[in-house]
Amino acid sequence: MSKIIVTGGCGYIGSHTVIALIDQGYKVVVFDDFSNASEDTLDRIAKITGIRPLFTRVDLKEKIKVLEAFNEHKEAKAVIHFAAYKAVKESINNPLDYYENNLFSLINVLNAQQAVGINNFIFSSSATVYGMPESFPMTENSPVKRPFSPYGNTKKIAEEILEDYTNANTKLSFISLRYFNPIGAHDSGHIGELPSGIPNNLMPYITQTAAGLRDKLWVFGDDYPTKDGTAVRDYIHVVDLAEAHLAALQYLMKNQQKANYEIYNLGTGQGYSVLEVIKSFELANNLRLNYEITSRREGDVAVMYASTDLAKQVLGWSAKRDLKSMVASAWKWEQNFRK
Ligand code: UFG
């Protein structure tokens, strides 16, 4: 079966995708430096799938090391590039770290894969490239705008790099996947999201509050023009997201692309407010969450959800798991992990 290189394969979305790939019989090679992931993720993947992925510890900012790592796996058929820093707040405080890490890594990976002749590439992008949206749902043709954070801007610039690069090299088959809000965890409860320090994102903040690690959840703003005043997002189960990568990969491997660079939104197409997520979490897990409304968080948009038609029509993929399954799996993971 084909060998696939997964950068950042020990991270949150990367690890779930590695499992989906192994389950489909792919031979997976993970490149990771554990800068924001734990080494025992490889053991956890082995526990779930029965197979330990091949692994190379490499800092993707080191051009020569990246080339060496690719040289060891020349026969790989595709690269799925997850490795990146992703904390919005941290990126505002340390913008150069984000530009350096996310963009140097991307360029080194592209150079190395070209050097060894791998033409298929999937990039981990984000709905953040839509910036402050004007209308809904977001389609892949909605205008791309300057994201609020340097993190978001690294995704926008990365997409521009990929566009220019594929324009100059027509034999390449590249896809960018724009994630909306990935949450939840693998059904086994053995892997899930593991933010370092205080979580920025809603779901890990909820599960850590329920676990007693945080006193209370602060709900950022209840004066948005939405049904209950709290902000609306398109939450997508991380396992659905992993399966979307599989669909994109199969599409690339079958040479079905019309253009050599294509972009797909990955969401459910359904928006939920912060309060709806909280209620769903309480109901699904039969507990009460300590939360309080506070002022809006700077840079947040009121509403964001995806049009999912393109991924469905072209990749034959759509999300299957509902909000209940997302919040229940997130809580199962948090509890298992704390044990
Ligand atoms: N929220 C709270 N309290 C918290 C955390 C979040 O009320 O403690 C709210 C936010 O204000 C927002 C919603 O929950 O309304 C979702 O917030 P997240 O931080 O989980 O997600 P965002 O939509 O802000 O961020 C996501 C991705 C980022 C990406 C960003 C912009 O996680 O990677 O979208 O598109 F940059």
Side-chain angles (χ1 to χ4, degrees), residues 2 7 134 159 234 265:
S2 307
T7 76
E134 279 150 25
E159 285 198 2
D234 185 339
N265 283 341

Side-chain angles (χ1 to χ4, degrees), residues 128 151 181 200-202 218-220 231 233 235 274 297 300:
T128 192
Y151 153 74
N181 288 59
N200 286 299
N201 296 116
L202 180 63
W218 294 98
V219 174
F220 299 136
R233 294 289 182 278
Y235 297 95
V274 177
R297 181 172 69 178
D300 274 352

Side-chain angles (χ1 to χ4, degrees), residues 50 215 232:
D215 283 346
V232 168

Side-chain angles (χ1 to χ4, degrees), residues 140-189:
E140 290 78 355
N141 293 322
S142 297
V144 164
K145 294 189 186 154
R146 173 72 158 85
F148 165 72
S149 70
Y151 153 74
N153 207 31
T154 68
K155 295 295 178 188
K156 179 173 175 286
I157 296 169
E159 285 198 2
E160 289 164 358
I161 291 172
L162 297 178
E163 196 180 337
D164 290 344
Y165 183 52
T166 49
N167 275 335
N169 296 274
T170 47
K171 66 176 188 301
L172 300 176
S173 297
F174 278 32
I175 286 182
S176 279
L177 298 174
R178 291 178 179 160
Y179 312 150
F180 281 68
N181 288 59
I183 61 169
H186 191 264
D187 277 346
S188 63

Side-chain angles (χ1 to χ4, degrees), residues 75-149:
E75 72 284 17
K77 292 281 180 274
V79 175
I80 308 182
H81 181 55
F82 290 104
Y85 291 166
K86 60 169 188 179
V88 170
K89 210 177 264 127
E90 189 181 66
S91 79
I92 294 167
N93 297 331
N94 307 310
L96 290 186
D97 285 353
Y98 271 67
Y99 288 114
E100 180 177 356
N101 186 67
N102 293 3
L103 298 176
F104 285 18
S105 295
L106 172 69
I107 291 166
N108 289 341
V109 166
L110 294 176
N111 275 320
Q113 78 169 75
Q114 184 170 46
V116 302
I118 304 171
N119 292 331
N120 296 319
F121 182 84
I122 297 175
F123 179 64
S124 198
S125 191
S126 166
T128 192
V129 300
Y130 294 118
M132 199 61 84
E134 279 150 25
S135 60
F136 305 100
M138 315 310 299
T139 76
E140 290 78 355
N141 293 322
S142 297
V144 164
K145 294 189 186 154
R146 173 72 158 85
F148 165 72
S149 70

Side-chain angles (χ1 to χ4, degrees), residues 3-7 27-31 53-56 69 73 76:
K3 188 187 259 192
I4 310 297
I5 294 172
V6 181
T7 76
K27 194 165 184 182
V28 178
V29 188
V30 170
F31 292 171
L54 298 168
F55 175 73
T56 303
H73 302 284

